[in-house]
Amino acid sequence: GAGVSQSPRYKVAKRGQDVALRCDPISGHVSLFWYQQALGQGPEFLTYFQNEAQLDKSGLPSDRFFAERPEGSVSTLKIQRTQQEDSAVYLCASSLLTSGRADTQYFGPGTRLTVL
Amino acid sequence: GDSVTQMEGPVTLSEEAFLTINCTYTATGYPSLFWYVQYPGEGLQLLLKATKADDKGSNKGFEATYRKETTSFHLEKGSVQVSDSAVYFCALSEKGNNRLAFGKGNQVVVIP
């Protein structure tokens, strides 16, 4: 079956531009996560949705970062007024269940954002 | 906060050699522990997991045992293949918290 998909795969933005990154989770998956992965580092948690509710946004690095999942399926991560330090790979993951810390998260291929 | 520490640096070894990648963790409770793998050009995928002390996760010849006394979850494989070349990430999630906390990852290169 189809896995998690993300678009675009690559994005180049000029400093100060706004960007929007899309995630299509696996159909029927309730939970959706966004992570940021800097070069040579492990992914860092940004935010978590259960259906359309954003239950945890404690990892968002600044108020320039905003995420939504209005219908409980597709999610968009928006970064306003991009800065060079925003350059990273943005990963989306989804999981089937709403609870259970051992739920497997399925990751998309990521969007590589480069801010010039 | 919760954190995961992986051994520094890439790992280069010959085919059929024994592989160990060290992972230790810091957590306030009793986390679940994971190893994720990222093959070249592909996304992260779960390799194995363990949810309580002394559990052993295994998959594709890889094993890791949840050691509460040493707060460790070291990954091992007895005989690596070239196809095992990838980046390996250790991760944890705390009870009641769905997010994953990852280590920095280890690049493994297996040469024929």
Side-chain angles (χ1 to χ4, degrees), chain A residues 33 35 37 40-43 45 48 56 58 91 98 100-102 104-105 107-108, chain B residues 30-32 34 36 43-44 46 49 51 89 93-95 98-100 102-104:
Chain A
F33 305 81
Y35 294 85
Q37 186 175 17
Q41 302 295 316
F45 171 81
Y48 161 61
D56 186 351
S58 62
L91 298 171
T98 62
R101 57 205 168 105
T104 298
Q105 293 185 25
F107 282 80
Chain B
Y30 299 96
S32 291
F34 307 81
Y36 275 82
L44 275 169
L46 179 67
K49 67 182 181 185
T51 60
F89 293 92
S93 69
E94 273 279 31
K95 185 175 182 178
N98 292 313
R99 71 170 81 175
L100 289 169
F102 286 89
K104 289 187 176 181

Side-chain angles (χ1 to χ4, degrees), chain A residues 64-116:
Chain A
R64 297 185 295 103
F65 287 70
F66 171 77
E68 60 184 5
R69 194 186 185 197
E71 296 178 0
S73 179
V74 171
S75 177
T76 303
L77 176 68
K78 297 179 179 178
I79 309 173
Q80 297 176 324
R81 304 181 303 282
T82 53
Q83 304 295 315
Q84 284 189 323
E85 62 264 27
D86 299 335
S87 295
V89 176
Y90 291 85
L91 298 171
C92 176
S94 69
S95 68
L96 180 60
L97 301 176
T98 62
S99 63
R101 57 205 168 105
D103 295 346
T104 298
Q105 293 185 25
Y106 296 86
F107 282 80
T111 295
R112 182 178 296 278
L113 173 65
T114 302
V115 182
L116 302 177

Side-chain angles (χ1 to χ4, degrees), chain B residues 32-55:
Chain B
S32 291
L33 301 174
F34 307 81
W35 277 99
Y36 275 82
V37 60
Q38 188 168 34
Y39 297 104
E42 298 184 18
L44 275 169
Q45 54 187 276
L46 179 67
L47 181 59
L48 53 85
K49 67 182 181 185
T51 60
K52 60 183 187 296
D54 301 323
D55 267 4

Side-chain angles (χ1 to χ4, degrees), chain B residues 64-84:
Chain B
T65 301
Y66 189 139
R67 300 286 189 201
K68 182 169 173 289
E69 62 276 12
T70 55
T71 62
S72 65
F73 193 55
H74 304 322
L75 183 68
E76 297 182 335
K77 185 173 184 181
S79 176
V80 293
Q81 305 301 312
V82 172
S83 57
D84 293 324

